Amino acid sequence: MLNGGVAKYEVGPIKASYKTPNWHPEGPQGWSFSVTSDPVDGGAPHRRLLDAISAAHPHMALNVEDADSSGYYLEGSILWQGAEIVIWAEALEGFLYIWSLEREPIEAIHTEAGIQATRIF
């Protein structure tokens, strides 16, 4: 909810899901969670949340880039103790999706997302 330009993140529960969660799920089934937020300054502040998680865990390798020239979609990956975690975000929809084939890294990132979501705003 917007409150003077401040976003409120909502970190969803961990659930079994496919790598590409669209109308026709694709890829292997693994584990995921999503984070939603209200738009701030015309877009969702997902990059700021990802950067905060990365800063709290120097062993984590974060790679994020715009998925298209509009800048409204981000995609990338996190390397967490040898496990690859896939991320993508839709800035206009205020939606961040985080997925891994392995549950343990998803649990660690989920916990950290909850912590950082309350700290950065």
Side-chain angles (χ1 to χ4, degrees), residues 83-105:
E84 183 180 12
I85 299 169
V86 175
I87 54 175
W88 59 267
E90 296 179 0
L92 292 179
E93 299 294 324
F95 183 79
L96 173 66
Y97 181 76
I98 302 175
W99 178 91
S100 178
L101 191 56
E102 301 174 41
R103 186 174 176 113
E104 186 177 327

Side-chain angles (χ1 to χ4, degrees), residues 17-30 97 99:
S17 65
Y18 291 94
K19 186 174 182 179
T20 306
N22 55 25
W23 294 109
H24 303 287
E26 298 174 6
Q29 189 169 13
Y97 181 76
W99 178 91

Side-chain angles (χ1 to χ4, degrees), residues 59-119:
H59 64 277
M60 178 181 123
L62 174 64
N63 177 27
V64 178
E65 52 191 59
D66 290 342
D68 66 6
S69 61
S70 72
Y72 295 128
Y73 303 97
L74 302 175
E75 60 183 26
S77 63
I78 298 169
L79 188 59
W80 182 279
Q81 300 176 350
E84 183 180 12
I85 299 169
V86 175
I87 54 175
W88 59 267
E90 296 179 0
L92 292 179
E93 299 294 324
F95 183 79
L96 173 66
Y97 181 76
I98 302 175
W99 178 91
S100 178
L101 191 56
E102 301 174 41
R103 186 174 176 113
E104 186 177 327
I106 284 295
E107 289 175 348
I109 297 290
H110 183 264
T111 298
E112 193 60 39
I115 292 168
Q116 295 302 324
T118 61
R119 288 185 179 167

